[in-house]
Amino acid sequence: EFDAVFSRAPYVKSKNRKRLREFDTWFELAAKDAKDAGEPPLDPNDDERFFRVYERMIERCDENSKSAIWHWHVFENNLMEEDPKKLLDPNKIVDAVLPKATSVAFFESRLFLHGTFEDPVDLLDRVDRLKRTPTWVCQGHRDEVCPEEYAHKLVDALQAADVPTKPYFIDSGHEATDPVMAKCLKNALDDFATTIQ
């Protein structure tokens, strides 16, 4: 799943020029940092090294950290945001949003590196632990952060392990604030509440 969002190849393959431009803008900052450090050129499809360079830039707390933090946050924000008026510009730091951007960048760079490369967890190999736990999946068709194909893999694994599963593939994006997603999540919680009574 990680490669589907955090490397260049899927954006080239899908011919999504907007996302490709956004990825390239995000990537270029890390590529420059690697070059300035005298390192070999950064490969836009080597997501682990890409993230390690970003983590280094973010944690350095120097004049370039603010830009790295902002670029990270803008890429993440724009993947989730469906309202064009709320898209952020990677070249214009919004001081009011910077504290949130800093938190997201510090937390996610470490979380993603740890959970994907340093101590990876394969959730699909663990779904059998949920045999007695009813499980709901609410997945938006327009979710670019967690692409739908991976939710289908999760549902298939849950069902193969005989986990009671209720999948809902809905017309929404990633964010829980999307009205369609919010309704799906509320319905799942209401259904869960009746299940445990």
Side-chain angles (χ1 to χ4, degrees), residues 25-159:
T25 299
W26 189 36
F27 176 80
E28 287 166 7
L29 191 65
K32 181 183 180 318
D33 190 79
K35 181 180 178 184
D36 291 350
E39 299 172 359
L42 191 58
D43 178 348
N45 296 307
D46 181 353
D47 47 14
E48 180 178 2
R49 184 162 170 241
F50 175 40
F51 268 52
R52 291 198 185 282
V53 171
Y54 251 97
E55 181 185 45
R56 176 181 74 207
M57 290 189 303
I58 290 164
E59 290 181 348
R60 251 192 330 239
C61 297
D62 63 11
E63 66 278 355
N64 295 320
S65 292
K66 190 174 181 181
S67 184
I69 287 165
W70 186 248
H71 276 73
W72 181 290
H73 182 69
V74 167
F75 184 77
E76 288 268 308
N77 178 81
N78 291 357
L79 269 179
M80 293 183 287
E81 186 56 63
E82 295 189 292
D83 182 348
K85 296 175 193 160
K86 294 182 181 177
L87 296 176
L88 299 173
D89 182 342
N91 300 310
K92 293 181 183 173
I93 295 174
V94 179
D95 288 330
V97 179
L98 193 58
K100 176 182 176 183
T102 301
S103 176
V104 167
F106 270 95
F107 175 76
E108 287 192 349
S109 63
R110 178 79 317 255
L111 175 72
F112 291 165
L113 282 168
H114 181 76
T116 304
F117 301 108
E118 295 163 0
D119 190 15
V121 175
D122 187 344
L123 297 177
L124 298 182
D125 286 343
R126 297 177 174 194
V127 296
D128 61 322
R129 297 177 186 184
L130 298 171
K131 279 192 189 262
R132 293 188 194 105
T133 308
T135 304
W136 288 257
V137 175
C138 292
Q139 172 66 44
H141 295 304
R142 298 186 314 275
D143 188 339
E144 294 184 65
V145 177
C146 299
E148 186 174 344
E149 68 184 279
Y150 298 99
H152 282 287
K153 289 179 182 182
L154 173 61
V155 168
D156 291 346
L158 289 164
Q159 291 173 339

Side-chain angles (χ1 to χ4, degrees), residues 166-187:
K166 292 187 180 182
Y168 298 96
F169 292 88
I170 57 176
D171 185 26
S172 81
H174 178 76
E175 295 192 284
T177 55
D178 178 299
V180 176
M181 179 60 75
K183 182 177 180 184
C184 183
L185 293 170
K186 182 189 179 314
N187 290 344

